[in-house]
Amino acid sequence: METVITTAVILGMIALGVLLIHLLNAQHDQRIAAFRYSDVLPMHGGRSRKRRHPADGSAGHHDGDRGGHRLPVDRRQV
């Protein structure tokens, strides 16, 4: 008789746990549905987006000279 009661108590606790988890998941789903994830964040300046240049090279050629001081073609040191 004790075995039947123990088994019934264990099954009852499992059922309560399943019900609790189900209710918590439903509550969490409602919170997710109410929250807007797609809001655009405001730009705070100071840092601009990098612009992508076309891959075909029509935007100009950059040879790695970052200083901007370029000698004419005939006076470059090789």
Side-chain angles (χ1 to χ4, degrees):
M1 186 69 182
E2 291 179 20
T3 306
V4 174
I5 294 173
T6 303
T7 304
V9 169
I10 290 173
L11 290 175
M13 295 298 285
I14 290 173
L16 284 175
V18 167
L19 180 64
L20 178 66
I21 290 173
H22 177 71
L23 291 175
L24 289 174
N25 280 335
Q27 182 182 19
H28 183 66
D29 289 342
Q30 288 175 355
R31 286 183 184 172
I32 289 175
F35 188 77
R36 290 188 59 169
Y37 286 101
S38 62
D39 286 346
V40 178
L41 296 176
M43 296 294 290
H44 289 290
R47 206 172 161 185
S48 62
R49 288 184 162 187
K50 292 183 180 180
R51 296 181 183 169
R52 301 186 106 194
H53 297 290
D56 62 355
S58 64
H61 179 70
H62 184 68
D63 62 357
D65 183 23
R66 294 177 186 251
H69 305 288
R70 296 172 66 165
L71 295 173
V73 177
D74 58 343
R75 296 184 69 193
R76 283 190 185 172
Q77 297 176 358
V78 181

